[in-house]
Amino acid sequence: LISGYAPAARKPIKIIGGLNGSGKTSLLEAVRLCLHGKRALGTITNDDYKKHILNRFHKDSDGIPRNSCMVGIEVEVVQSGRPNIYGIERSWSNLTSTLKETLDITCDGEKLDQLYPEQYQAFLDELVPLGLAEFFFFDGERIQTLAEDEGADSVVADSIKSLLGLD
């Protein structure tokens, strides 16, 4: 991980580098899944989502998967000049052959009392809209497509359409 600040603008820049197969794309997918759940994977069926998530469960040395997994991130959001740290955790369990997904959000270490758990996803969608995430989370394949003349217009167009909620 390379971290730095552009000296004149003082804006954070994060670059994640590593060899092929080292987990860079998996890390980006985990952030997307944490923020947006099933919608992070595009338009897939519930069965395909379940298979995708179950394939991400940690397996022990005998290849036996765990019964649950989770991903969590913390983000700093400045509201009315005051910084708040939001903890976001999305977990999945498969104890009864039915994938159960849970989303929890805290603010400065305290449970987010002003929202019901059913409202958490809407809150995250306002915090980091799915379409906006397309502009901030790029993996190598997406950057390569942008670099190719014939693919750049398509990638930018898709990101803008997603940002505006258009198909």
Side-chain angles (χ1 to χ4, degrees):
L1 174 65
I2 300 170
S3 179
Y5 286 88
R10 307 248 338 131
K11 297 186 181 192
I13 300 170
K14 305 289 183 200
I15 300 172
I16 300 168
L19 298 174
N20 289 343
S22 63
K24 301 177 300 293
T25 301
S26 295
L27 178 63
L28 288 174
E29 179 184 300
V31 170
R32 288 183 185 121
L33 283 170
C34 186
L35 293 171
H36 298 291
K38 178 184 170 197
R39 294 179 331 152
L41 301 177
T43 54
I44 65 170
T45 66
N46 287 336
D47 285 342
D48 286 342
Y49 179 63
K50 178 181 177 179
K51 288 176 193 173
H52 185 84
I53 295 299
L54 290 175
N55 282 331
R56 299 311 187 260
F57 278 36
H58 175 75
K59 295 173 183 68
D60 65 20
S61 59
D62 295 327
I64 299 170
R66 301 280 182 187
N67 293 325
S68 63
C69 70
M70 66 84 63
V71 63
I73 60 173
E74 285 188 344
V75 295
E76 181 179 38
V77 178
V78 178
Q79 296 168 314
S80 301
R82 182 178 174 263
N84 294 299
I85 303 293
Y86 287 97
I88 305 159
E89 287 186 1
R90 193 176 298 262
S91 60
W92 299 266
S93 62
N94 190 40
L95 300 174
T96 61
S97 298
T98 301
L99 186 68
K100 181 181 181 222
E101 181 173 301
T102 305
L103 176 60
D104 292 306
I105 303 177
T106 59
C107 181
D108 297 326
E110 301 291 325
K111 186 176 181 199
L112 203 58
D113 289 335
Q114 63 265 37
L115 296 175
Y116 293 110
E118 299 82 30
Q119 298 172 310
Y120 286 173
Q121 188 59 59
F123 174 77
L124 288 179
D125 290 345
E126 286 186 29
L127 192 64
V128 183
L130 182 60
L132 188 60
E134 292 293 320
F135 287 107
F136 294 105
F137 302 120
F138 283 94
D139 63 11
E141 291 81 18
R142 193 128 166 105
I143 290 172
Q144 182 177 352
T145 304
L146 271 173
E148 296 168 354
D149 288 337
E150 64 275 0
D153 291 339
S154 173
V155 169
V156 172
D158 288 347
S159 295
I160 291 172
K161 285 178 185 175
S162 179
L163 174 63
L164 297 174
L166 303 173
D167 290 328

